[in-house]
Amino acid sequence: MKILAIETSCDETAISIIEASGAVLKPEFKVLGNAVLSQIIHKEYGGVYPNLAKREHEKNLIPIFEKVLKEAKLFTKSMHDIDNEALEKILVKEPELFKHFIEFIGTIDKPDIDYIAVTSGPGLEPALWVGIKFAEALSHVWNISVLPINHMEGHIASVLYKNTAAIEFPALALLISGGHTELVLAKKWGKYEILGQTRDDAVGEAFDKVARLLGLPYPGGPEISKLAAIAREKNLPRQFELPRPMIKSDDFDFSFSGIKTAVLYTLKKIGDVTQEIREDMSREFEDAVTEVLIAKTEKALETHAAKSLILGGGVIANTHIRSEFEKLILNYPDVRLNLPAKEITTDNALMIALAAFVHLSKGEEISTSQISAEGNLKL
Ligand code: KG4
Ligand code: ZN
């Protein structure tokens, strides 16, 4: 089956087309087309503004879609009449997208696609709506069903990409991104129990905020990671000691805002922040975060019998965190570590297509009711 997936939950406009076959236990995927556009406009503001993200998605979806269709060799030009009125109703709150949509859609053939998948939450609602309405407009024109997908399930499903074997359940999943930090027990695909989550900032958010304090650009994760690697290479004595919040607490929750505040006060005291201080602080921050993540995951592995450990979310692009989890898993020979390929860790539509395949291959019915954006959608 061919699945077209659309992801617009935050500041990445992403579209993917995959061809999937096999059963959910032994899936095979071919990526026919895939593109992610990171909205650089947010760099100027050091964070993501929902309405700005919405406008960028509206502007970028059609050009990206055209690119992906061409890459997938599913793009053929031909002129049709289009029912503008119906489309205007669907895209009434996305006027910019409507304009591009009607210019485009009447000039191409219906591509050979079986299903459309779209992220319906969690995320920024104005941004989510753009993807949902785009999916609905395509569905209207081409008569293809649309499947709503939970973005966090997408991060879990990202480990299926380039994976040679099925995921074994029960699985423990640690999801660490810019908006979420969750430890999840997955009994099977679609059946999740959240064991713990952050009480304040998400891990990626902490990376971004600390980067900002250090005068580094957004998104901060990759920047901090680079400086921390330099500090590790230099191996100079440590100048700072940051807290490891909740590392010994009797639950699976996290808290990262205290580390950020500790960085703030330390930097205020120093005044003149040199490059060496930036490097050393980055290393100490990365260590503090990693130690907490490892400790909580270890505790969960001790308490819940899991056959797999799945890691997902943008922060798992971090080289140091990946290698510490690779070390941790050596103590659990019965648990298989499933790390997503680095190129699929930050937001993308490929993971949304993979999650859609999981649902479709189980033979789930697709609801025909209208899809709503749910900013706080739970797993
Ligand atoms: O999953 P994602 O792309 O978006 C959300 O769903 O939130 O995650 C983005 C987050 C950002 O906070 C970014 O700073 C962080 O992932 N990130 C990293 C690295 N690459 C991206 N954090 C630490 N180390 C990295 N190498
Ligand atoms: Zn994400």
Side-chain angles (χ1 to χ4, degrees):
M1 68 176 85
K2 292 202 183 90
I3 304 171
L4 160 70
I6 300 152
E7 154 67 46
T8 63
S9 69
C10 192
D11 59 341
E12 264 87 25
T13 314
I15 295 188
S16 190
I17 301 175
I18 65 165
E19 182 160 18
S21 58
V24 66
L25 286 178
K26 215 175 176 324
E28 272 176 46
F29 303 110
K30 219 160 99 191
V31 180
L32 303 181
N34 186 49
V36 180
L37 187 114
S38 291
Q39 303 177 354
I40 46 169
I41 190 158
H42 303 288
K43 271 185 194 277
E44 283 173 39
Y45 301 94
V48 182
Y49 285 87
N51 283 322
L52 206 58
K54 168 183 158 44
R55 231 177 303 146
E56 290 292 302
H57 290 310
E58 282 189 54
K59 209 168 65 191
N60 297 326
L61 266 173
I62 295 290
I64 290 178
F65 186 41
E66 183 173 339
K67 184 171 163 225
V68 171
L69 280 175
K70 283 181 177 160
E71 190 188 333
K73 306 214 164 21
L74 292 172
F75 183 90
T76 36
K77 281 240 168 224
S78 79
M79 301 302 278
H80 308 271
D81 285 336
I82 288 295
D83 177 1
N84 282 10
E85 222 171 284
L87 286 171
E88 191 164 16
K89 266 191 205 142
I90 296 173
L91 296 170
V92 64
K93 292 194 177 137
E94 285 74 26
E96 177 90 8
L97 175 60
F98 172 68
K99 200 175 71 197
H100 298 306
F101 195 91
I102 49 162
E103 274 169 20
F104 177 74
I105 208 71
T107 64
I108 63 160
D109 263 340
K110 175 182 174 176
D112 172 23
I113 284 167
D114 302 291
Y115 297 97
I116 300 172
V118 65
T119 306
S120 61
L124 308 168
E125 285 189 4
L128 287 162
W129 275 119
V130 184
I132 293 171
K133 289 294 161 188
F134 179 55
E136 278 179 11
L138 289 176
S139 167
H140 173 80
V141 177
W142 291 333
N143 195 22
I144 303 175
S145 310
V146 184
L147 190 73
I149 296 293
N150 182 310
H151 178 87
M152 301 314 285
E153 190 176 43
H155 278 304
I156 297 179
S158 69
V159 296
L160 291 173
Y161 178 60
K162 292 192 175 168
N163 206 337
T164 47
I167 306 297
E168 287 201 59
F169 293 97
L172 188 71
L174 176 71
L175 305 177
I176 44 178
S177 68
H180 293 85
T181 304
E182 291 175 346
L183 250 175
V184 179
L185 186 65
K187 288 172 194 135
K188 57 179 182 175
W189 285 115
K191 199 154 175 20
Y192 309 109
E193 180 193 340
I194 295 182
L195 302 177
Q197 55 197 319
T198 185
R199 295 192 180 174
D200 39 59
D201 292 349
V203 190
E205 192 180 353
F207 267 97
D208 296 336
K209 286 179 175 169
V210 167
R212 202 172 176 176
L213 294 174
L214 292 171
L216 303 169
Y218 174 87
E223 303 292 325
I224 290 195
S225 170
K226 262 184 255 161
L227 294 188
I230 295 171
R232 283 201 183 87
E233 182 84 32
K234 288 186 182 167
N235 202 19
L236 297 174
R238 282 171 189 271
Q239 303 177 53
F240 309 112
E241 201 181 321
L242 296 171
R244 271 70 174 154
M246 297 184 73
I247 196 162
K248 293 212 166 83
S249 73
D250 210 17
D251 52 32
F252 299 108
D253 282 349
F254 302 87
S255 164
F256 294 103
S257 75
I259 312 185
K260 169 199 67 194
T261 313
V263 173
L264 173 70
Y265 287 132
T266 311
L267 294 179
K268 264 196 179 158
K269 247 186 256 164
I270 297 168
D272 180 24
V273 179
T274 63
Q275 190 60 8
E276 208 134 83
I277 287 174
R278 276 193 200 101
E279 291 164 6
D280 200 43
M281 187 60 95
S282 294
R283 169 178 59 172
E284 174 61 11
F285 171 75
E286 201 175 68
D287 279 347
V289 166
T290 310
E291 283 170 33
V292 174
L293 293 173
I294 293 275
K296 291 282 166 159
T297 307
E298 193 165 15
K299 189 171 143 76
L301 285 171
E302 295 291 338
T303 341
H304 297 273
K307 291 187 182 157
S308 325
L309 173 61
I310 294 172
L311 302 176
V315 181
I316 211 65
N318 185 285
T319 313
H320 179 67
I321 297 178
R322 288 172 89 92
S323 77
E324 289 303 300
F325 274 99
E326 277 162 352
K327 282 185 213 154
L328 170 77
I329 213 68
L330 297 177
N331 303 328
Y332 297 88
D334 298 332
V335 183
R336 201 182 117 155
L337 178 64
N338 289 279
L339 270 171
K342 265 201 180 180
E343 66 268 27
I344 193 179
T345 52
T346 48
D347 288 350
N348 62 85
L350 192 48
M351 68 183 197
I352 303 305
L354 297 175
F357 170 72
V358 167
H359 287 282
L360 291 166
S361 66
K362 287 198 304 183
E364 282 177 22
E365 288 275 318
I366 301 181
S367 154
T368 48
S369 58
Q370 284 215 327
I371 300 171
S372 282
E374 285 184 61
N376 295 317
L377 184 65
K378 300 276 176 287
L379 264 176

